[in-house]
Amino acid sequence: MFNKKKIKKSSFKNRKRNFSKSKLLKKKKKNTKSLFKMISFLIVSFILIWTLVGFILYKKYIEPLPPVENIKNLNIAQTSTIYDKDWGELYKIFKENRTYIDYKDISKNMINALVAWEDQRFWTTPGFDLIWISRAAIYGIFTGDFKWTSGLSQQLMKVTYLTNERSIERKIKEFYLSWKLNKVYDKTKILELYLNKIFFGSNAYWIEQASKTFFWISAKDLNILQSSVLASLPKAPSGLSPYSKKPKLMGYPLVYSKEDEENKTKLLTKKDLAENSVLVEKLRNFIWNLKFARVQNDVVICWINKNNLKNWSFRVDWDSCTTLWFKYLLSFLNSIKITDNDKIIEYQTWRKDYILWRMLEDKYINFEEYKKAIMGSFGYEFTKSKVSIKYPYFVMYIKEYLENKYWKDVINGGWFKIYTTLDSKMQDKAEALIEKYWEINEKRFWAKNDALISIDNENWGILSMVGWRDYFDEENGWNNNMITSRLQPGSTFKPFAYALAIENNRIWSKTPVYDVKTTFPGWYAPHNFDGKYKWKMNISTALNNSRNIPAIKMFYLAWWEEKIISFMEKLWVKTLRAFKEEYNKKYPNKNYSYSAPMALWTGLMTPLELAWAYSTFANLWVRKEINPIIKIVDSKWNIIEDREEKKQNNEPSISPALAYIMNSILSDTSSRPSFWNTYMSLSWRKLAAKTGTSTKQYKKNSRKVIAPRNLWTIWYTPQITTVVWVWNTSWKELYLNWNWLEWAWPIMKWFMSFAHIWKKVKSWPKPLWVKTAWISEISWLLPRENFPKNLIVSSNFINLPKQVDNSLKEVTLDSLCNWKVTDKTPLNAIKKGYLIAFWPIKRENTNWNVWVQEWVKKWEWKEKYWNYWNIITEYTDEPCERQGRWDILIKTSIQNKLTVWRNDIQVWFNWDRKVKKLNIYLWDLLIKSESIWNVDKKGLEIPIFINFKALWKKLDLKIELIDLEDYSYEENLEVNIVERVNNNFINPN
């Protein structure tokens, strides 16, 4: 029987539970619908927003764009002209000299090289490479460095319709136009348009003109090597010019000696190949005999002699084969090292090698064609340029300068008038001098190359630039501009180390510094160029005599390498840090350091940077950017750039006081060797000057050779700074037995004389806070009263010294240790003298002081102070330490009051320490003194002579011994003289 109350209660609970579930279900359905509606709303909103954004972008950026259908007939280039400062025409960047050719008249090799290098997926993309764009975007998101990459279609649109501005707007336009172009034209037509619109450098517009300019053939006849060369040029027409940058474009074999592995000669011409024919033939045979096979993404190379590889990371098996990833093929070529007796040949890849590698990777060429193209590039000769260029080194510098500043397509394609700072009169003089002294230097010194750069210190413009004797002499590789090439500055770098050391320390032009043998950290013990030491000298003399040991000390006083690099960057010198970064990037497991030799010459700088840095001294601290441009105007005479309107920030790189002091040092003719002034001064004008020579030490026939390399002469006045360089870019040796100062000097002398004919004679104004004071030559402190006048010199200061030099004051001291005299000091040890203290330039540097004190012991310094007897170099207020007196018994061959006399005395004594001197006194007058340091026996015979006028008289003799601690021991004797008859002594009694 059921309980109705329970059933009713249970039923109620069930209904309540079911109602709750139903309510929950309805609520859940309602939430789901709301979520769906919200998502739908967001999607629709997103679509609408981006549709609106797209519409706005289209209306703003896309709709105004011109139609791509008329691209063939669009004239995209006009003439741009470069002028000197007097509006004399130097060069037209573009001339109407172009021929349009169809796709069928272009070599397939050229098409393949271009696509392989510029746009690998060109044939399959819609106008832009989505894969590459995605990679670039991901890379940019993670690194913050977005790569602005462009395929062939994009490049064509950019050069035709757009600018080189890096912006999102330009990229949007570029993508759209590229996509539209690919809709209108097929791929072959796009390539045809591209090759008939692009600039290849050297005034060669379009592919047909480029083929004839560089090879004197039609575009349809281009072979694989020639095509790889032309494909290299559109991205860097000046930076990879076949005439001025041939090594970077073509790659090259290089030869060097086992004894001198750093002195490598690039084989760039057929003449170079002929001179090294045996090695070149071995290299050709090695490459030609290599057998290649492709295995998926790897390449197998066989017939390898592993002794001909310098990189052992390529493992060669028993079958003389190695397997490597395709991307390491160029590394393999760079690892070739073939030896013939004491000579070695290697191969250095550059841009055309990268393109050939890409062509091989994309299967446009096979391995045999690849090897043939590489070997065909050895000593390749381009058609000699027929372009008329006045002052080609300067013109090409300007062209590259503007391409880097405004992008190449703007300068090469636009109508511009470019007015430069070049002075044609000075340029003509410079070129004439380079031409004249090139022949003289080649005959006398074996130096084939000269270069000159001159800067206007008042407006920072380039007055003259000669990068070499003949820009177009390709046989000798003379189309390289040495003014912008990295070279070792030699001793011309020393003033910068001195400047920073002076700035960081209280040292000035006459501060003493010691040119003595010194060992620096790392057991580095440098020598001077003459193998000698000049001992004590002042800062001015050390720098103007180009002494190496003081320069290394300046490196440490300048607070080491990083501080010097940062200081040089203030002077616009970027190559020092750039070289370190490039080296560390190439060899990530190494950390390159210039170390202390940096102060001498180990860094790399361009002559332009050297001139720039010295101009900062000449300007008394003002740092401006060198700007060779006066004005640029466009076709509508709108001003693009104007030096007068552009206000440069006169950034202080060094203090005016420091610049003035450096100028006073470098113009101080009295501190140089007198005959040097023949090469470093003008009789009618004050100027600052520095010379420098980098050297290379190597062995030749088992004999050490120190060969001169880069020879520099730098002169500057308040108006003009000029740098002259002499050497061989082939790294060939110069004639050793000659005065190195003579090589660049004649060019400098006649150029600077000519450059200043119309200029007023100026001197550097002395800043108010530079003081001149008389100081002690010994210590660079203020001289005391009655200080010797011949030891007082004049020096410039920013902060005058306050301490007084007490040198050459008479002092009383204990001679045992040159310390303080006390009541316990033996009378024999007390002496008077004149104190001179010699300290290193940094007193707290104990290592430097050790070497200075070693020099002090040699007493070479006494020649300078010979007027002063008993000079003392050390003195303290501490007493000398002694062991005290000892008991010494003295006996002689003469007994007291003995009347027999002979002409000698035998002395015996006992001692437990060494005795240094024996003195004999007659009536308190010293008649005999003997040094007895080396007496091993405790007795000796002392010959003495007594005048016989003393006969019949009683004599008082005193025998005195002095030990090593200056204690004295005495024996007094009374002697009667006897008469000597027939050589016998007779007693008168």
Side-chain angles (χ1 to χ4, degrees):
M1 193 170 185
F2 297 103
N3 189 328
K4 290 183 178 180
K5 288 184 177 180
K6 285 186 177 181
I7 292 173
K8 188 175 181 180
K9 191 174 182 180
S10 175
S11 176
F12 174 76
K13 287 182 179 179
N14 289 336
R15 284 198 302 271
K16 189 176 180 180
R17 189 181 297 115
N18 292 336
F19 175 78
S20 298
K21 287 183 179 179
S22 175
K23 191 175 180 181
L24 213 67
L25 189 61
K26 288 179 180 180
K27 189 175 181 180
K28 190 172 183 180
K29 287 181 178 179
K30 188 177 179 180
N31 289 342
T32 303
K33 288 181 180 180
S34 299
L35 181 62
F36 178 77
K37 285 180 180 180
M38 185 177 67
I39 292 173
S40 300
F41 175 76
L42 289 174
I43 292 173
V44 172
S45 299
F46 181 81
I47 293 172
L48 288 174
I49 290 171
W50 277 106
T51 301
L52 180 61
V53 170
F55 178 77
I56 294 171
L57 292 175
Y58 177 83
K59 296 296 288 185
K60 185 176 181 179
Y61 299 135
I62 305 303
E63 192 175 55
L65 292 175
V68 298
E69 288 81 1
N70 297 326
I71 186 173
K72 180 177 179 181
N73 300 319
L74 185 65
N75 186 5
I76 63 172
Q78 295 176 320
T79 301
S80 291
T81 308
I82 298 176
Y83 301 90
D84 65 19
K85 73 181 185 67
D86 297 317
W87 291 44
E89 183 179 310
L90 303 181
Y91 180 66
K92 288 186 180 295
I93 292 180
F94 172 76
K95 293 182 179 180
E96 294 295 334
N97 189 10
R98 52 190 177 179
T99 304
Y100 191 102
I101 59 174
D102 295 331
Y103 179 84
K104 62 181 177 59
D105 294 321
I106 302 173
S107 168
K108 190 67 175 176
N109 295 319
M110 183 64 216
I111 299 296
N112 294 337
L114 185 67
V115 171
W117 180 241
E118 295 283 1
D119 195 349
Q120 273 187 299
R121 284 176 284 274
F122 170 77
W123 299 106
T124 59
T125 62
F128 43 83
D129 191 336
L130 290 172
I131 296 176
W132 180 251
I133 292 170
S134 300
R135 287 177 181 171
I138 294 171
Y139 179 83
I141 290 170
F142 283 100
T143 65
D145 182 17
F146 288 90
K147 302 293 184 180
W148 294 81
T149 179
S150 296
L152 289 172
S153 299
Q154 292 168 267
Q155 290 179 41
L156 179 58
M157 292 298 94
K158 182 174 63 177
V159 76
T160 306
Y161 294 114
L162 305 175
T163 69
N164 286 285
E165 177 192 6
R166 290 191 172 190
S167 66
I168 298 297
E169 177 184 345
R170 197 212 76 193
K171 271 295 173 185
I172 292 172
K173 293 178 179 179
E174 189 180 287
F175 286 141
Y176 174 78
L177 288 173
S178 300
W179 173 78
K180 190 71 174 176
L181 181 72
N182 279 261
K183 288 292 185 181
V184 175
Y185 296 110
D186 63 21
K187 294 291 187 180
T188 58
K189 189 64 177 180
I190 292 172
L191 284 172
E192 176 187 309
L193 290 168
Y194 179 90
L195 288 170
N196 282 287
K197 296 294 181 182
I198 207 71
F199 176 62
F200 291 87
S202 302
N203 267 355
Y205 279 83
W206 307 2
I207 186 62
E208 183 70 7
Q209 184 60 35
S211 301
K212 291 180 178 178
T213 297
F214 300 121
F215 309 114
W216 201 242
I217 60 174
S218 176
K220 63 183 175 59
D221 299 320
L222 291 169
N223 61 29
I224 294 171
L225 173 61
Q226 293 163 342
S227 298
S228 68
V229 170
L230 291 184
S232 304
L233 299 179
K235 282 188 176 179
S238 297
L240 292 172
S241 168
Y243 300 120
S244 61
K245 296 293 190 299
K246 182 180 175 181
K248 288 187 176 182
L249 172 66
M250 299 298 290
Y252 45 83
L254 47 89
V255 173
Y256 57 93
S257 168
K258 287 181 180 179
E259 295 178 338
D260 184 17
E261 294 194 3
E262 293 184 13
N263 183 22
K264 297 180 179 180
T265 301
K266 300 174 184 176
L267 307 184
L268 302 175
T269 67
K270 290 184 176 179
K271 181 180 177 182
D272 295 332
L273 297 179
E275 290 175 354
N276 297 274
S277 57
V278 175
L279 280 168
V280 172
E281 192 59 29
K282 285 192 171 188
L283 177 61
R284 288 183 189 275
N285 290 336
F286 177 82
I287 295 175
W288 186 251
N289 291 330
L290 293 175
K291 300 299 179 184
F292 294 82
R294 188 193 301 265
V295 181
Q296 296 179 350
N297 292 326
D298 295 341
V299 59
V300 179
I301 308 175
C302 292
W303 287 41
I304 301 172
N305 182 346
K306 64 181 180 181
N307 294 324
N308 290 334
L309 296 179
K310 61 182 176 183
N311 191 341
W312 292 100
S313 62
F314 298 107
R315 295 182 180 179
V316 180
D317 60 26
W318 293 104
D319 295 325
S320 300
C321 296
T322 187
T323 301
L324 57 144
W325 289 351
F326 215 95
K327 64 180 181 180
Y328 292 128
L329 181 56
L330 292 179
S331 298
F332 176 82
L333 291 178
N334 287 323
S335 72
I336 296 174
K337 182 178 180 180
I338 299 173
T339 303
D340 180 60
N341 295 325
D342 65 332
K343 294 283 187 177
I344 297 171
I345 189 169
E346 297 179 3
Y347 183 69
Q348 177 62 56
T349 60
W350 273 99
R351 179 59 61 83
K352 76 97 178 50
D353 296 290
Y354 283 84
I355 295 178
L356 290 172
W357 165 68
R358 291 289 289 270
M359 293 177 74
L360 180 64
E361 182 185 30
D362 293 344
K363 302 181 181 179
Y364 290 122
I365 60 176
N366 58 40
F367 286 106
E368 296 304 309
E369 291 171 324
Y370 177 68
K371 292 189 296 183
K372 184 178 179 182
I374 289 175
M375 291 186 292
S377 68
F378 294 178
Y380 192 90
E381 294 183 353
F382 293 93
T383 301
K384 191 167 184 178
S385 176
K386 299 177 177 61
V387 178
S388 175
I389 309 177
K390 192 175 184 181
Y391 315 140
Y393 285 108
F394 178 75
V395 164
M396 291 299 117
Y397 167 77
I398 289 292
K399 191 167 177 291
E400 192 168 351
Y401 172 86
L402 293 174
E403 286 176 4
N404 292 332
K405 189 171 185 178
Y406 294 108
W407 294 79
K408 65 180 186 298
D409 299 322
V410 174
I411 298 302
N412 295 324
W415 186 96
F416 296 102
K417 290 188 179 296
I418 303 156
Y419 302 96
T420 70
T421 60
L422 190 82
D423 186 309
S424 291
K425 295 186 182 69
M426 290 190 189
Q427 181 70 17
D428 289 337
K429 185 66 174 179
E431 291 193 353
L433 289 169
I434 292 294
E435 177 69 26
K436 175 181 178 180
Y437 285 98
W438 166 81
E439 295 186 34
I440 294 173
N441 287 343
E442 183 182 27
K443 291 177 182 177
R444 296 174 69 186
F445 314 128
W446 307 344
K448 293 184 177 181
N449 312 135
D450 313 279
L452 179 148
I453 176 70
S454 188
I455 291 176
D456 189 331
N457 294 331
E458 296 176 338
N459 60 36
W460 294 78
I462 294 177
L463 297 171
S464 177
M465 176 187 285
V466 185
W468 219 326
R469 181 179 69 94
D470 185 354
Y471 181 84
F472 299 106
D473 189 349
E474 185 185 355
E475 181 181 351
N476 293 288
W478 288 0
N479 43 33
N480 291 318
N481 190 350
M482 300 311 299
I483 297 303
T484 56
S485 299
R486 295 181 185 180
L487 305 166
Q488 289 180 333
S491 292
T492 62
F493 189 80
K494 289 176 181 175
F496 306 117
Y498 274 82
L500 189 55
I502 289 172
E503 186 176 58
N504 291 342
N505 301 271
R506 295 177 66 89
I507 56 178
W508 309 106
S509 57
K510 301 303 179 183
T511 300
V513 64
Y514 290 88
D515 179 26
V516 297
K517 178 183 177 182
T518 308
T519 300
F520 297 96
W523 300 103
Y524 175 52
H527 299 282
N528 289 304
F529 67 92
D530 57 4
K532 301 176 181 178
Y533 301 105
K534 294 293 183 69
W535 319 120
K536 179 176 176 289
M537 54 179 55
N538 59 50
I539 290 289
S540 183
T541 303
L543 179 53
N544 282 319
N545 282 258
S546 208
R547 308 308 292 174
N548 288 342
I549 284 82
I552 296 296
K553 292 178 179 178
M554 295 304 113
F555 170 86
Y556 291 103
L557 292 173
W559 299 346
W560 298 52
E561 179 180 318
E562 181 55 34
K563 291 291 184 181
I564 293 177
I565 292 176
S566 298
F567 176 71
M568 296 308 295
E569 287 176 330
K570 291 181 181 179
L571 307 183
W572 299 100
V573 177
K574 300 177 181 178
T575 50
L576 292 172
R577 190 178 301 282
F579 176 80
K580 280 191 67 172
E581 291 175 349
E582 291 166 9
Y583 183 93
N584 293 336
K585 185 177 180 180
K586 187 175 181 180
Y587 305 103
N589 296 327
K590 298 181 180 180
N591 185 20
Y592 186 85
S593 175
Y594 293 108
S595 300
M598 180 185 195
L600 306 183
W601 54 266
T602 56
L604 293 175
M605 295 173 63
T606 69
L608 181 60
E609 286 179 322
L610 265 178
W612 209 339
Y614 273 92
S615 285
T616 306
F617 290 156
N619 274 284
L620 291 181
W621 73 274
V622 176
R623 183 188 93 142
K624 291 183 181 178
E625 182 178 0
I626 284 186
N627 187 359
I629 304 298
I630 296 176
K631 183 184 289 187
I632 301 176
V633 297
D634 65 12
S635 58
K636 296 180 181 179
W637 292 94
N638 295 314
I639 295 176
I640 306 300
E641 181 178 324
D642 190 340
R643 186 179 66 185
E644 299 302 324
E645 294 181 0
K646 181 182 178 183
K647 294 183 179 180
Q648 286 202 47
N649 294 325
N650 296 341
E651 300 178 36
S653 52
I654 56 177
S655 71
L658 176 59
Y660 179 83
I661 288 172
M662 291 306 301
N663 294 339
S664 66
I665 291 174
L666 294 173
S667 59
D668 182 4
T669 57
S670 65
S671 63
R672 299 189 197 115
S674 57
F675 80 95
W676 283 24
N677 286 320
T678 304
Y679 310 102
M680 301 177 70
S681 61
L682 290 174
S683 59
W684 50 279
R685 184 181 294 266
K686 186 173 183 178
L687 57 84
K690 188 71 184 80
T691 62
T693 305
S694 67
T695 58
K696 172 63 181 175
Q697 180 175 309
Y698 60 94
K699 287 186 178 181
K700 187 174 184 179
N701 299 325
S702 300
R703 182 175 60 90
K704 184 173 77 172
V705 176
I706 299 178
R709 295 299 170 91
N710 301 282
L711 295 126
W712 302 89
T713 295
I714 300 174
W715 286 11
Y716 65 92
T717 65
Q719 297 108 315
I720 295 174
T721 296
T722 301
V723 175
V724 176
W725 169 89
V726 176
W727 190 32
N728 295 317
T729 51
S730 62
W731 318 126
K732 291 184 179 178
E733 290 184 16
L734 299 172
Y735 186 63
L736 300 180
N737 300 321
W738 206 274
N739 176 10
W740 299 347
L741 291 170
E742 292 189 23
W743 301 23
W745 160 72
I747 299 172
M748 178 65 79
K749 176 185 176 182
W750 296 115
F751 178 81
M752 287 291 273
S753 297
F754 179 84
H756 286 85
I757 288 176
W758 303 282
K759 295 188 179 296
K760 294 180 180 180
V761 175
K762 288 186 177 182
S763 297
W764 288 283
K766 186 177 180 180
L768 294 176
W769 48 91
V770 173
K771 307 297 181 183
T772 301
W774 295 100
I775 60 170
S776 163
E777 178 272 342
I778 298 172
S779 65
W780 67 278
L781 301 177
L782 295 173
R784 59 175 171 78
E785 190 176 353
N786 299 322
F787 198 81
K789 291 183 178 180
N790 65 315
L791 298 178
I792 298 177
V793 295
S794 175
S795 182
N796 291 316
F797 289 90
I798 294 177
N799 298 307
L800 288 172
K802 297 180 179 180
Q803 292 177 290
V804 174
D805 186 0
N806 289 314
S807 293
L808 297 176
K809 248 188 174 183
E810 188 177 85
V811 293
T812 302
L813 69 159
D814 187 334
S815 62
L816 179 64
C817 59
N818 287 344
W819 291 357
K820 184 179 179 179
V821 173
T822 67
D823 55 358
K824 296 181 181 180
T825 304
L827 292 177
N828 288 308
I830 299 175
K831 68 175 181 179
K832 293 183 178 181
Y834 294 91
L835 178 66
I836 297 180
F838 296 108
W839 291 96
I841 195 168
K842 192 174 183 180
R843 289 195 176 193
E844 60 269 27
N845 191 312
T846 55
N847 179 52
W848 293 2
N849 189 43
V850 166
W851 292 103
V852 170
Q853 300 313 318
E854 282 295 316
W855 164 73
V856 169
K857 293 176 184 177
K858 295 179 181 179
W859 291 79
E860 284 92 347
W861 53 271
K862 290 199 71 175
E863 295 180 5
K864 192 165 187 174
Y865 309 104
W866 60 271
N867 289 341
Y868 301 90
W869 58 273
N870 202 17
I871 291 178
I872 301 157
T873 59
E874 289 183 286
Y875 180 79
T876 71
D877 288 332
E878 298 293 326
C880 298
E881 294 183 3
R882 285 183 166 81
Q883 297 179 11
R885 291 181 61 86
W886 292 65
D887 292 328
I888 297 181
L889 179 64
I890 302 174
K891 291 185 178 182
T892 70
S893 58
I894 303 175
Q895 296 182 3
N896 199 26
K897 298 183 180 181
L898 185 67
T899 56
V900 178
W901 175 257
R902 293 185 305 170
N903 280 339
D904 65 338
I905 297 177
Q906 293 178 345
V907 180
W908 296 271
F909 48 92
N910 70 309
W911 69 87
D912 292 314
R913 70 172 72 177
K914 280 200 171 185
V915 177
K916 63 181 180 181
K917 185 176 287 188
L918 181 145
N919 296 325
I920 300 177
Y921 296 87
L922 173 62
W923 293 317
D924 295 325
L925 178 66
L926 180 66
I927 61 172
K928 191 72 173 181
S929 181
E930 285 284 332
S931 176
I932 54 175
W933 293 88
N934 298 321
V935 175
D936 294 326
K937 298 178 180 179
K938 299 182 180 180
L940 70 163
E941 186 174 291
I942 306 295
I944 63 172
F945 175 77
I946 298 177
N947 193 315
F948 281 102
K949 290 181 180 180
L951 288 174
W952 314 111
K953 290 186 179 181
K954 186 184 294 182
L955 306 181
D956 292 328
L957 290 177
K958 182 172 69 175
I959 310 298
E960 180 187 40
L961 294 174
I962 301 175
D963 68 12
L964 296 182
E965 291 187 348
D966 292 304
Y967 289 112
S968 65
Y969 307 87
E970 300 176 359
E971 176 72 15
N972 294 302
L973 300 172
E974 187 178 295
V975 179
N976 292 319
I977 302 300
V978 299
E979 182 179 4
R980 190 180 70 164
V981 179
N982 297 327
N983 293 324
N984 293 315
F985 289 97
I986 301 175
N987 190 324
N989 297 324

